[in-house]
Amino acid sequence: MDPHLLRTFVAVARLASFSGAARELGYTQSAVSQHIAALEGDLRTELLTRRPVRPTPAGTRLLEHAGPLLLRLDAARADVARMAGPPLDRVV
């Protein structure tokens, strides 16, 4: 599951809007629609109803997992970035 697609899904679900998520994420509305379609294709289920925009039961379940998953990915990225930086005990 691509984290970029998951972040897009969370934004659409939170804002109940494809265009709102596009504005927030800096994407076009078409790109947001493509992200959601790709995620739904990967999971082989509909995650959002379109009118009105809201999570399906499967989408609601994915949202329960999405927050912790994205937090762990952000923490891993920050941890690796710290390790890749210059050692803290050296003067540069």
Side-chain angles (χ1 to χ4, degrees):
M1 190 177 322
D2 183 328
H4 298 292
L5 304 180
L6 189 57
R7 286 184 200 284
T8 301
F9 167 70
V10 170
V12 172
R14 181 172 42 81
L15 297 169
S17 169
F18 281 71
S19 58
R23 278 191 301 277
E24 180 175 286
L25 298 170
Y27 297 139
T28 64
Q29 184 173 344
S30 175
V32 168
S33 294
Q34 290 172 11
H35 284 193
I36 298 304
L39 185 59
E40 289 177 331
D42 181 34
L43 296 174
R44 295 187 174 134
T45 189
E46 186 178 46
L47 299 170
L48 295 164
T49 61
R50 287 354 189 228
R51 292 179 200 255
V53 176
R54 66 174 178 238
T56 63
T60 298
R61 180 58 58 93
L62 181 58
L63 283 170
E64 292 171 7
H65 292 284
L69 284 169
L70 293 172
L71 281 173
R72 291 291 302 184
L73 285 170
D74 291 342
R77 181 181 298 276
D79 195 32
V80 169
R82 275 192 303 277
M83 296 294 295
L88 298 175
D89 58 346
R90 283 185 51 194
V91 176
V92 180

